[in-house]
C-alpha cells in the first residue's frame, strides 16, 4: 500500500509538488497568524502576569490591568491589616508623554514602585544593563530594548530626555518587560507621582503577597467584603479579564480568525483540485488496479495514504519556514512560541484539510469502471 502510494506520488511530480506547496502555505499562514495572536494576547495581560504578586487590589470598576483607576493610599493600610496577607505595597501606573533628544516624541506607561520592591515588579532576568539601585538616582527611569523604534534608537544608559516637560534619563535597560499599546518605564513611586503631577495619596493598585498556604480566593473574598470601593483579583484572573475585554472591544480576534479561515479554505481547494486533476490523469492506472481485483476500499485507502504523505511533507516544510519566520521577527521583539499541544492541533487541522481535499479525487475514482483501462 505505502509503496504503491509513493509510486503514484513520484509519477506525477509536478502535481505532487503543487499539493505540498498548498499544504505548506496553509501551515505557514495558520502558524503565522496564531503566533502573532499569541504574542498580542500575551502583551495584553503582561502587567498582571509579569508582576510577582498573588492578588491585585484595584478600583471596583476596573477589569483591565491596562486601565487602572485611582485608589486612596488608605486602601493599602486596610489591606495590610487582613489575615492571610504577608505583604502589601502600592504601585502607581500612569501615562506620560516624552520628548527625546533626536526630536521625536511618544507616549509611555510609567510604573512607579518602591525601589525595595522592584524585584516583585521587574524580574531581574529581564534587566540587561544597569542595576536596580540605579533607579534611586534623581530622574532615573528604565527603558525597554524592544521599544527603541518607538522611543528613539538612542536608549543607552545616561541618555537624557523629558517626561511631561521634566528632565529624566535612562538608568536601567530591560528586555522583554513590555505592555500592550505603549512602552513601559519603571521608576520610584515618588518620581512617578512627580512626573504625572499626582497627589501623594494616589495609587493605582495594591499588590498583595500571601502567607504560604493561604487560599487566594478566600483572601480575595475577604478584601471584597470588608473594603468598599475596591475589587481584588488573583493575578491570573485579572490577566484573563484584560485579554477578554480587549479582544471583545477590538477586531484582533476577528481579523486573526478570518485570515486563518481563509488559509484553511485556500489550502482545502488547492489540495482538492490538484488531487482531482491528478486523479483524472491517472484514471487508467486506477482502472487497472480495479481490473486486477482491487476494490473501492483499497482505492480509497491508497488515495488517503497519498494525502497523508502530502500532509506530513507539507507540514514539516511549512513548520521549518515558520521557524525561520519566528526567529527572524524575534530580533525585532515579536516573540512567540508554540506548545506541543498547539503543534499537534495544527498538524491535525492540516491532515484533515489534506484528507478532505482528497475527497474530490475519491468521488471521481470510485466511479471508474475496470473496463476504462481498455478505452
Amino acid at each position: 500500500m505505502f509503496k504503491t502510494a509513493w509510486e503514484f506520488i513520484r509519477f506525477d511530480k509536478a502535481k505532487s509538488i503543487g499539493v505540498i506547496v498548498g499544504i505548506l502555505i496553509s501551515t505557514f499562514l495558520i502558524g503565522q497568524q496564531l503566533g502573532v495572536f499569541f504574542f498580542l494576547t500575551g502583551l495584553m495581560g503582561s502587567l498582571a502576569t509579569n508582576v510577582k504578586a498573588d492578588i491585585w487590589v484595584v478600583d471596583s470598576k476596573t477589569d483591565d490591568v491596562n486601565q487602572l483607576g485611582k485608589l486612596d493610599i488608605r486602601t493599602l493600610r486596610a489591606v495590610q491589616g487582613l489575615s492571610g496577607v504577608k505583604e502589601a505595597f502600592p504601585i502607581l501606573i500612569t501615562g506620560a508623554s516624552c520628548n527625546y533628544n533626536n526630536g521625536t516624541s511618544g507616549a509611555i506607561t510609567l510604573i512607579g514602585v518602591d525601589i525595595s520592591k522592584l524585584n516583585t515588579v521587574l524580574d531581574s532576568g529581564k534587566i540587561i544593563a544597569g542595576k536596580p539601585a540605579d533607579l534611586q538616582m534623581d530622574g532615573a527611569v528604565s527603558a525597554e530594548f524592544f521599544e527603541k523604534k518607538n522611543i528613539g534608537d538612542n536608549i543607552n544608559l545616561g541618555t537624557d530626555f523629558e517626561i511631561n516637560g521634566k528632565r529624566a534619563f535612562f538608568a536601567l535597560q530591560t528586555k522583554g518587560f513590555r505592555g500592550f499599546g505603549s512602552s513601559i518605564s519603571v521608576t520610584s513611586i515618588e518620581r512617578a507621582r512627580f512626573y504625572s503631577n499626582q497627589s501623594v495619596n494616589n495609587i493605582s493598585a495594591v499588590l498583595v503577597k500571601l502567607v504560604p498556604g493561604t487560599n487566594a480566593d478566600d483572601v480575595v473574598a475577604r478584601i471584597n467584603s470588608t473594603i468598599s470601593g475596591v475589587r481584588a483579583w488573583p493575578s491570573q484572573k485579572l490577566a484573563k479579564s484584560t485579554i477578554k475585554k480587549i479582544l471583545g472591544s477590538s477586531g484582533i480576534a476577528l481579523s486573526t480568525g478570518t485570515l486563518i479561515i481563509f488559509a484553511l479554505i485556500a489550502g482545502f481547494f488547492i489540495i482538492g483540485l490538484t488531487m482531482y486533476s491528478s486523479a483524472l490523469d491517472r484514471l487508467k492506472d486506477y482502472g487497472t488496479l480495479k481490473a486486477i481485483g482491487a476494490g473501492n476500499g483499497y482505492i480509497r485507502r491508497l488515495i488517503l495514504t497519498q494525502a497523508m504523505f502530502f500532509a506530513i511533507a507539507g507540514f514539516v516544510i511549512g513548520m521549518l519556514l515558520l521557524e525561520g519566520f519566528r526567529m527572524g521577527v524575534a530580533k525585532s521583539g515579536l516573540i512567540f512560541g508554540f506548545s506541543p499541544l498547539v503543534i499537534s492541533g495544527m498538524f491535525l487541522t492540516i491532515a484533515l484539510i489534506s484528507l478532505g481535499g482528497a475527497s474530490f479525487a475519491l468521488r471521481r475514482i470510485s466511479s471508474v469502471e475496470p473496463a476504462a483501462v481498455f478505452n
Side-chain angles (χ1 to χ4, degrees), residues 298-321:
Y298 178 87
I299 300 298
R300 281 194 294 269
R301 291 193 298 273
L302 179 63
I303 293 176
L304 293 177
T305 300
Q306 293 177 58
M308 282 306 300
F309 277 146
F310 290 138
I312 294 170
F315 182 77
V316 170
I317 297 172
M319 288 301 295
L320 290 175
L321 293 175

Side-chain angles (χ1 to χ4, degrees), residues 98 100-108 128 142-157 159 161 170 172-179 182-185 329-334:
C98 300
Y100 303 101
N101 293 334
N102 61 3
T104 62
S105 61
I108 63 170
I128 60 173
S142 71
E144 168 58 33
F145 174 81
F146 286 127
E147 296 292 343
K148 60 183 179 181
K149 290 184 178 179
N150 298 326
I151 65 177
D153 288 334
N154 189 7
I155 59 172
N156 297 326
L157 301 188
T159 300
F161 67 106
F170 294 130
L172 192 73
Q173 192 175 109
T174 62
K175 191 173 186 179
F177 187 67
R178 310 168 71 183
S182 65
S183 173
I184 291 180
S185 288
V329 297
K331 296 178 182 178
S332 64
L334 203 166

Side-chain angles (χ1 to χ4, degrees), residues 122-281:
L122 176 58
D123 186 350
S124 60
K126 295 183 178 180
I127 298 175
I128 60 173
K131 301 185 295 294
D134 295 338
L135 290 180
Q136 295 177 339
M137 294 185 286
D138 186 32
V141 301
S142 71
E144 168 58 33
F145 174 81
F146 286 127
E147 296 292 343
K148 60 183 179 181
K149 290 184 178 179
N150 298 326
I151 65 177
D153 288 334
N154 189 7
I155 59 172
N156 297 326
L157 301 188
T159 300
D160 291 316
F161 67 106
E162 291 184 349
I163 299 178
N164 290 340
K166 301 170 183 177
R167 176 191 171 275
F169 73 96
F170 294 130
L172 192 73
Q173 192 175 109
T174 62
K175 191 173 186 179
F177 187 67
R178 310 168 71 183
F180 183 72
S182 65
S183 173
I184 291 180
S185 288
V186 182
T187 188
S188 68
I189 192 167
E190 296 81 10
R191 198 168 299 118
R193 290 193 181 107
F194 169 71
Y195 286 133
S196 58
N197 297 316
Q198 294 201 35
S199 166
V200 294
N201 294 319
N202 288 341
I203 58 175
S204 299
V206 175
L207 302 182
V208 178
K209 287 188 173 183
L210 300 176
V211 174
T214 303
N215 186 290
D217 290 333
D218 291 343
V219 178
V220 165
R222 196 173 301 128
I223 292 173
N224 291 334
S225 62
T226 58
I227 305 175
S228 62
V230 303
R231 183 174 182 180
W233 292 85
S235 297
Q236 291 298 326
K237 288 186 178 180
L238 180 57
K240 291 179 180 178
S241 174
T242 299
I243 294 171
K244 182 179 179 181
K245 182 175 181 180
I246 295 176
L247 291 179
S249 60
S250 68
I252 294 175
L254 179 62
S255 174
T256 302
T258 301
L259 289 172
I260 290 176
I261 290 172
F262 275 115
L264 294 173
I265 293 173
F268 176 78
F269 282 103
I270 289 173
I271 296 165
L273 295 176
T274 305
M275 292 191 72
Y276 179 77
S277 175
S278 178
L280 289 180
D281 294 340

